[in-house]
């Protein structure tokens, strides 16, 4: 099929590359000239596993980049809209980018086309997109509007796109549903997965994925409800972690026991410094606003957000209790991205904590495998950057782990101990076994577990033991 993808961000670029890999002819459109130049010149603007391979495979043949939306629409059967839907000051989703794309598309619809809302949008958006296109004089027989929410996670976006738990298509008639079935046919009929050069299948996924056909309103609600539920799962386990800290239980053991129940599941029961990123914070807030508008007071979501904010404050208190005063302290920080595997720093809890600690007068040297360039664009020069985790730790009063990158879970602990001025690690992601850390000579703080101290050190001297 001939597909236009409007927006070349995390979702649009990945969707475009994956549609091309499924065998479709794709043009990805953006109005950001710098981004377009980079894409047209062979650069890969975001950090995503398998994305460079797919772009190299299809660029210039099945995958093109363009700044001309109308031309791309005229040449396509299906138009996926993947522009941003940031939050407004009052918490609703800002749909002005979506509206402007709908307006621009109107003039270019010739034969029958399906306009697919892939951005995360509130219920009724498909109806509004349809109204805007009609208002601009388009024949109603020329188009349908459908909703196809995207569930990919940054860091594993390509694999998530091609091996999803489900594909949801919200279509209000059979004609548009059939077009979307064809788009995803290489996945739903399993033919994509037979190919020798298909992206490798991740563990825990099964193919072919099920395709759920719903109304457009249901599809819009599925996305908001899914993200809100996942955020709730994170806040729930963070609240449990706080209780574990008070009573001396181990939250990891609790997660294991709770998550073994197949009705609950182990995934997303990860205590830490709270959720962030470009999706959960804004989507929970937007769903809260949708509910309010519909006359339902969704207070559960207020609490989800409240626990999330509190989790950062609790972590700051932990740093303070480990180090006493903060002004002038040298801290090594591992992780700036909002989670491991991505360079995205939008709403990153790690960055929030770094900023708060800088304000307290700490001196910070940070390392992140992918997010330092983006951080440099938004942070003032008070933050120093290191080339490795060990360099970030060098001479520091303590090391903070703020993002769950795999490489941070596999550090050479004796080298780390040598690099630090004081062997204190404050781990906001629970990457290490407390006993192992104590045995390696660290004072180790984590989330939802008791602090551990170096073996053989008298209790009175345990915190901040100065090395010989
Ligand atoms: N990032 C994720 O992990 C993720 C996952 C699922 C869903 N979503 C949703 O998908 C949507 C896009 O998210 P993202 O992270 O890719 O956003 P993004 O900000 O990375 O990308 C949006 C792109 O749209 C472009 N754009 C804006 N207006 C345009 C216009 N009129 N014409 C052409 N291009 C235009 C921007 O220049 C930008 O490149 C959001 O609604 C988001 O909530 C995101």
């Amino acid at each position: 099929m001939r597909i236009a993808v409007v927006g070349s961000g995390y979702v649009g670029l990945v969707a475009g590359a994956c549609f091309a890999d499924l065998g479709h002819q794709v043009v990805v459109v953006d109005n950001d000239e710098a981004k377009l130049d980079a894409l047209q010149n062979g650069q890969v603007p975001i950090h995503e596993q398998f994305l460079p391979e797919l772009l190299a495979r299809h660029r210039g043949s099945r995958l093109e980049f363009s700044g001309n939306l109308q031309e791309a629409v005229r040449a396509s059967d299906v138009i996926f809209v993947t522009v941003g839907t940031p939050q407004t000051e009052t918490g609703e989703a800002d749909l002005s980018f979506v509206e402007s794309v709908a307006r621009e598309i109107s003039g270019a619809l010739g034969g029958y086309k399906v306009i697919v809302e892939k951005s995360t949008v509130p219920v009724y958006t498909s109806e509004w997109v349809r109204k805007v296109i009609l208002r601009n004089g388009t024949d109603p027989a020329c188009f349908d509007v459908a909703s196809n929410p995207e569930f990919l996670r940054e860091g594993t976006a390509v694999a998530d796109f091609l091996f999803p738990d489900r594909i949801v298509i919200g279509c209000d008639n059979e004609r548009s549903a059939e077009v979307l079935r064809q788009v995803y046919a290489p996945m739903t009929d399993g033919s994509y997965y037979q190919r020798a050069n298909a992206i490798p299948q991740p563990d825990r996924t099964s193919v072919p994925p099920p395709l759920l056909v719903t109304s457009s309103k249901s599809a819009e609600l599925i996305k908001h409800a899914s993200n809100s539920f996942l955020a709730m799962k994170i806040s729930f386990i963070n609240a449990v972690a706080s209780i574990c800290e008070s009573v001396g239980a181990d939250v990891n053991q609790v997660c294991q026991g709770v998550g073994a129940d197949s009705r609950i599941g182990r995934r997303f029961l990860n205590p830490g410094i709270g959720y962030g990123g470009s999706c959960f914070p804004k989507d929970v807030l937007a769903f809260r606003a949708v509910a309010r508008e519909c006359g339902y007071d969704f207070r559960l979501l207020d609490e989800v957000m409240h626990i999330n904010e509190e989790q950062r404050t609790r972590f700051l208190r932990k740093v303070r209790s480990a180090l006493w005063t903060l002004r002038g302290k040298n801290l090594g920080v591992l992780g700036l991205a909002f989670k491991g595997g991505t360079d995205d720093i939008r709403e990153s809890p790690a960055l929030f904590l770094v900023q708060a600690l800088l304000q307290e007068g700490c001196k910070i040297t940070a390392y992140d495998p992918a997010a330092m360039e983006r951080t440099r664009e938004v942070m003032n020069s008070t933050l120093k950057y290191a080339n490795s985790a060990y360099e970030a730790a060098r001479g520091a009063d303590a090391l903070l782990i703020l993002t769950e990158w795999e490489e941070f879970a596999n550090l050479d602990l004796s080298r780390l101990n040598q690099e630090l001025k004081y062997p204190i690690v404050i781990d906001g992601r629970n990457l290490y076994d407390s006993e192992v850390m104590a045995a390696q000579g660290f004072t180790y703080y984590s989330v939802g577990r008791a602090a551990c101290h170096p073996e053989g050190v008298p209790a009175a001297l345990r915190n901040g033991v100065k090395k010989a």
Side-chain angles (χ1 to χ4, degrees):
M1 299 197 78
R2 294 171 310 163
I3 294 177
V5 178
V6 189
S8 68
Y10 284 84
V11 171
L13 188 56
V14 168
C18 290
F19 283 142
D21 209 41
L22 293 177
H24 301 302
Q25 190 65 41
V26 183
V27 52
V28 175
V29 182
D30 208 293
N31 59 2
D32 178 332
E33 280 182 22
K35 229 177 211 184
L36 266 184
D37 275 355
L39 285 166
Q40 279 162 341
N41 289 328
Q43 290 171 29
V44 185
I46 54 173
H47 179 91
E48 276 300 335
Q49 202 187 12
F50 302 122
L51 188 60
E53 289 91 320
L54 289 193
L55 292 180
R57 198 181 283 176
H58 301 297
R59 206 191 300 257
S61 53
R62 283 212 289 266
L63 181 61
E64 288 172 86
F65 300 99
S66 165
N68 191 333
L69 176 58
Q70 300 220 338
E71 196 179 277
V73 168
R74 272 191 286 273
S76 302
D77 310 304
V78 196
I79 297 105
F80 283 86
V81 181
T82 66
V83 296
T85 50
Q87 71 194 44
T88 61
E89 271 175 20
T90 44
E92 291 98 357
D94 175 355
L95 297 172
S96 55
F97 298 112
V98 174
E99 185 183 358
S100 108
V101 170
R103 253 197 328 267
E104 261 193 83
I105 282 177
S106 324
L109 296 169
Y112 177 75
K113 296 179 198 298
V114 182
I115 293 127
V116 188
E117 193 46 82
K118 207 174 209 1
S119 300
T120 301
V121 291
V123 65
Y124 286 120
T125 301
S126 290
E127 281 193 11
W128 271 109
V129 168
R130 184 176 167 73
K131 270 186 212 163
V132 168
I133 296 175
L134 287 175
R135 263 182 206 162
N136 283 279
T138 308
D139 176 356
C142 261
F143 75 100
D144 276 309
V145 180
S147 167
N148 169 222
E150 183 49 59
F151 300 100
L152 62 77
R153 297 160 300 168
E154 287 176 22
T156 52
V158 168
D160 288 345
F161 189 97
L162 292 167
F163 299 87
D165 292 334
R166 76 301 206 190
I167 299 162
V168 175
I169 56 172
C171 300
D172 296 323
N173 60 38
E174 184 46 35
R175 191 177 183 191
S176 55
E178 190 44 37
V179 169
L180 278 171
R181 277 195 203 97
Q182 280 181 46
V183 168
Y184 287 105
M187 289 159 68
T188 53
D189 68 15
S191 56
Y192 175 74
Y193 308 112
Q194 311 291 322
R195 277 182 16 202
N197 66 351
I199 293 300
Q201 181 173 358
D203 295 342
R204 281 199 303 247
T205 58
S206 57
V207 293
L211 181 123
L212 311 182
V213 185
T214 69
S215 69
S216 56
K217 282 185 200 147
S218 300
E220 287 162 343
L221 280 173
I222 285 169
K223 177 63 189 176
H224 262 168
S226 300
N227 272 7
S228 298
F229 191 89
L230 291 171
M232 180 183 74
K233 217 172 164 186
I234 295 172
S235 279
F236 183 86
I237 205 61
N238 278 334
V240 172
S242 301
I243 299 172
C244 288
E245 283 177 14
S246 304
V247 302
D250 179 334
V251 74
N252 281 15
Q253 293 174 357
V254 175
C255 287
Q256 211 180 351
V258 173
D261 186 325
S262 60
R263 293 168 303 175
I264 298 173
R266 180 67 182 81
R267 290 169 79 189
F268 269 75
L269 284 184
N270 297 324
I273 52 175
Y275 61 78
S278 68
C279 293
F280 287 178
K282 86 167 167 61
D283 292 347
V284 175
L285 210 56
F287 198 31
R288 177 75 176 89
V290 165
R292 194 182 304 118
E293 201 135 299
C294 304
Y296 181 72
D297 189 12
F298 209 154
R299 276 173 296 175
L300 176 62
L301 297 184
D302 289 335
E303 202 46 42
V304 167
M305 292 184 271
H306 175 70
I307 293 170
N308 198 54
E309 276 165 33
E310 211 176 52
Q311 201 61 12
R312 301 170 182 190
T313 319
R314 286 181 68 87
F315 189 79
L316 276 179
R317 277 208 297 273
K318 199 166 283 178
V319 177
R320 212 171 278 126
S321 80
L323 299 177
W324 189 23
T325 65
L326 293 178
R327 183 159 300 283
K329 290 271 157 70
N330 288 308
L331 302 179
V333 159
L334 301 188
L336 296 164
F338 84 93
K339 65 170 188 172
T342 180
D343 58 348
D344 197 345
I345 52 166
R346 292 179 284 184
E347 297 288 320
S348 166
L351 221 55
F352 171 90
L353 289 168
V354 164
Q355 269 155 343
L357 289 163
L358 285 172
Q359 259 171 20
E360 297 263 6
C362 294
K363 293 178 193 147
I364 297 183
T365 306
Y367 170 70
D368 187 291
M372 294 197 291
E373 211 177 301
R374 284 193 196 276
T375 308
R376 269 197 195 97
E377 289 165 15
V378 297
M379 289 281 294
N380 59 29
S381 54
T382 47
L383 180 62
K384 277 205 232 149
Y385 298 91
N387 290 315
S388 71
Y390 304 105
E391 196 184 314
R394 195 159 300 154
D397 293 297
L399 183 73
L400 274 51
I401 304 178
L402 302 183
T403 304
E404 72 283 28
W405 280 94
E406 219 175 301
E407 85 169 70
F408 299 161
N410 296 302
L411 296 171
D412 174 342
L413 293 176
S414 73
R415 180 167 171 203
L416 191 67
N417 195 321
Q418 291 304 312
E419 296 284 8
L420 282 161
K421 183 170 171 198
Y422 302 109
I424 301 172
V425 173
I426 311 168
D427 182 358
R429 300 292 186 173
N430 284 9
L431 297 188
Y432 285 94
D433 185 306
S434 305
E435 282 169 20
V436 170
M437 291 302 275
Q440 291 283 335
F442 291 96
T443 296
Y444 178 67
Y445 299 85
S446 55
V447 181
R449 298 182 294 178
C452 274
H453 303 278
E455 284 174 354
V457 176
L461 295 176
R462 276 174 177 172
N463 276 353
V465 180
K466 179 95 177 83
K467 283 168 60 176

